[in-house]
Amino acid sequence: MSTPNEEAGTVTRPITEAGSASQPIVEADRAVPLVHVSIASKVGSLLDPIGKEGAARMLMRLMRRSGAGRSAEQADELVDRIGGHLGAEVTRSTAGFHGGVIARSQAAFLDFTFESLCQPRFAPGEFEQLRQESLAECTERLDDDRARARHFWLRKLFSGHPYGRPSGGTPESLRRVELSDLEELRERLFTRQHMRFAFAGAVDEPMAREAAARFHEALPVGREVAVDPADPVTPNGRTLVFVDKPERTQTQIVIGCLGTHAHDEDHTALHVGNTVFGGTFTSRLMQEVRAKRGWSYGTSSAVPFDRRRQAFSMWAFPQASDAAPCLELELQLLERWVKDGITARELAAAKKYLTRSHAFAVDTAQKRAALRLDESIYALPPGYQGSYLERVAAVTLEQVNEAIRRRITPEHLVITVLGTHAEIGARIEAAIPRLASAETVRFDAD
């Protein structure tokens, strides 16, 4: 039963979900003497204060390096000494620690993880050092053309929506973050209601329950914050964002629109259809763009999930001289996929591939625990992971083709190209039929 809270948009619920302190996820396998631990919140960077994007990521890194008052060097030395690793992860919808250790050191490793989460030190000097490191990483990211193209693509596709805010922040937003922001954010992110626990490997359920209970008791009760925004809306028409970067001999092309949500009835059908279009090495995109023409060493499409509707995207990285014809071909392939769907032969091949390759998604205890944790974190339909093979097998050709037509909108796309505008900008615009709008941004503009 949920009870309203004074703060609008928040509720407090009893902790009974899988992955919670009372019901931690446990995937035991003693074949290898390793223990894997994941401790994650059901909310992430969507809680960043407006204009201070990147705050949650800074918080996680500060906690990881300052548990029990240690310095960053002391924290790294301790983890190395016990033969472990612990990383901090932040996405829109989750923030947490994920790591592992040799079984004989699991007690020391859990102590370190506990101190990082429950006993961090918010020291001004360490915070300023972390800020400078984060700003330096922003500068380094300018050299990652693929990441820059996707950054501007997401910003345009999700314009005005929380999903358009960068989890890693920008130089401007990171400079606005104050130490007090991190302290306040920790109180909202890491409460008993939000936390989920997963253990895998050489671990038993009583130990897992004891560890989860220890974390649970040390965390504040807090309030479960409702951070699920409304579904985003794809911009009207075909929109081009040209990311201008000097002296580019190779380009990055990202094309897409809104895709699917795990609770859609046609979610699995679209997943199967995408496997045919751009989800494998033998997909239509790979055959037409790489195998037949050699325009891009790799190309793919994806339909990921999140707590709200996610984006469908296509990606390729042709030479600048091939960028315009490659883009034109990708749009033609997309239109044909939506208009004509896939064939019965392609459906059978996709089902066989997905069924056989699924073994690699569940072949270790760590992977199985991670899938179950995702089910809890992202509020997926009950049994989402366990029923995967049955859902794939049950999909019909008609369902796949209807899902493609319903969810993919070739006339309403965001197209981002990173390259040198003076050299290929005009050709890129000419390659997009029925282009509704175009803008050019500098690669280092945020």
Side-chain angles (χ1 to χ4, degrees):
M1 179 176 180
S2 302
T3 55
N5 201 284
E6 296 176 0
E7 182 180 345
T10 68
V11 293
T12 301
R13 297 186 178 96
I15 303 177
T16 58
E17 298 179 60
S20 64
S22 62
Q23 192 179 351
I25 292 165
V26 181
E27 285 285 344
D29 184 352
R30 297 186 176 276
V32 179
L34 294 176
V35 174
H36 303 277
V37 179
S38 290
I39 299 174
S41 172
K42 293 201 305 178
V43 287
S45 66
L46 288 183
L47 282 186
D48 282 344
I50 299 296
K52 297 181 180 182
E53 290 76 17
R57 186 169 182 268
M58 290 184 69
L59 169 64
M60 291 302 301
R61 297 177 68 184
L62 183 64
M63 293 168 64
R64 162 63 177 78
R65 64 202 284 172
S66 69
R70 298 185 186 90
S71 67
E73 293 77 12
Q74 290 171 332
D76 289 339
E77 180 182 337
L78 189 156
V79 174
D80 288 344
R81 188 169 64 248
I82 63 176
H85 64 92
L86 185 69
E89 179 189 54
V90 177
T91 69
R92 299 167 180 147
S93 301
T94 183
F97 294 114
H98 307 271
V101 69
I102 193 166
R104 65 171 179 266
S105 300
Q106 62 180 296
F109 181 76
L110 286 170
D111 285 344
F112 177 82
T113 307
F114 176 87
E115 291 159 356
S116 297
L117 182 69
C118 302
Q119 299 173 357
R121 178 172 61 100
F122 291 88
E126 193 69 36
F127 168 69
E128 288 302 329
Q129 175 64 32
L130 178 58
R131 189 205 304 276
Q132 295 307 311
E133 292 175 10
S134 300
L135 290 171
E137 289 169 0
C138 284
T139 301
E140 292 175 3
R141 286 201 295 269
L142 297 178
D143 292 330
D144 188 339
D145 286 1
R146 181 178 180 181
R148 294 308 291 166
R150 191 161 186 85
H151 166 79
F152 286 103
W153 180 76
L154 287 169
R155 190 171 75 170
K156 189 66 176 181
L157 181 67
F158 294 119
S159 178
H161 190 273
Y163 277 10
R165 303 171 65 200
S167 295
T170 67
E172 291 77 9
S173 69
L174 293 174
R175 291 189 182 99
R176 297 189 191 105
V177 177
E178 300 177 2
L179 187 58
S180 58
D181 293 319
L182 302 193
E183 293 177 297
E184 180 180 348
L185 189 56
R186 177 177 175 269
E187 293 178 358
R188 302 186 69 201
L189 277 173
F190 300 112
T191 67
R192 295 181 184 181
Q193 284 71 22
H194 290 154
M195 300 310 295
R196 297 294 178 263
F197 306 89
F199 303 85
V203 62
D204 56 42
E205 188 162 341
M207 188 284 291
R209 287 185 177 277
E210 181 180 347
R214 179 189 181 195
F215 282 93
H216 171 75
E217 292 302 321
L219 291 169
V221 174
R223 290 172 291 191
E224 186 166 353
V225 182
V227 293
D228 288 344
D231 271 349
V233 179
T234 299
N236 287 327
R238 292 182 169 184
T239 300
L240 170 66
V241 179
F242 195 106
V243 183
D244 189 18
K245 191 171 185 180
E247 302 177 354
R248 293 295 94 184
T249 59
Q250 182 174 301
T251 64
Q252 299 285 331
I253 300 175
V254 187
I255 305 169
C257 58
L258 290 185
T260 185
H261 188 283
H263 288 269
D264 293 336
E265 290 185 1
D266 57 6
H267 170 73
T268 302
L270 185 61
H271 168 61
V272 173
N274 178 73
T275 302
V276 172
F277 183 67
T280 71
F281 196 78
T282 58
S283 68
R284 290 184 183 181
L285 280 177
M286 284 292 287
Q287 291 302 303
E288 296 294 330
V289 175
R290 171 181 164 155
K292 292 183 180 180
R293 296 169 176 83
W295 282 343
S296 179
Y297 183 78
T299 181
S300 62
S301 62
V303 283
F305 61 77
D306 204 323
R307 293 182 70 90
R308 305 305 300 171
R309 189 168 304 281
Q310 253 290 4
F312 161 79
S313 64
M314 307 160 54
W315 168 70
F317 51 102
Q319 293 293 312
S321 58
D322 297 326
C326 181
L327 172 57
E328 185 174 18
L329 174 64
E330 287 187 287
L331 292 173
Q332 291 171 356
L333 293 171
L334 181 67
E335 290 177 349
R336 191 179 311 151
W337 180 51
V338 173
K339 179 177 179 292
D340 299 332
I342 67 172
T343 66
R345 183 176 180 179
E346 288 175 319
L347 175 63
K351 285 187 175 184
K352 181 181 291 185
Y353 167 79
L354 292 171
T355 299
R356 292 179 174 179
S357 63
H358 185 64
F360 296 104
V362 295
D363 61 348
T364 68
Q366 182 182 7
K367 292 179 183 178
R368 294 192 295 273
L371 290 176
R372 293 175 61 191
L373 183 63
D374 280 350
E375 196 170 285
S376 178
I377 290 290
Y378 293 101
L380 300 178
Y384 178 88
Q385 303 294 359
S387 65
Y388 174 79
L389 293 177
E390 290 77 8
R391 296 199 319 273
V392 168
V395 166
T396 67
L397 184 64
E398 292 74 18
Q399 289 172 335
V400 171
N401 290 336
E402 177 58 29
I404 297 169
R405 287 190 293 268
R406 181 185 298 120
R407 300 298 176 187
I408 308 302
T409 56
E411 292 305 313
H412 304 286
L413 299 171
V414 173
I415 303 163
T416 297
V417 178
L418 184 147
T420 304
H421 188 271
E423 296 179 3
I424 65 170
R427 280 180 284 161
I428 290 295
E429 290 194 26
I432 306 173
R434 303 177 298 283
L435 179 62
S437 63
E439 63 180 282
T440 302
V441 298
R442 283 178 52 88
F443 76 100
D444 56 355
D446 277 308

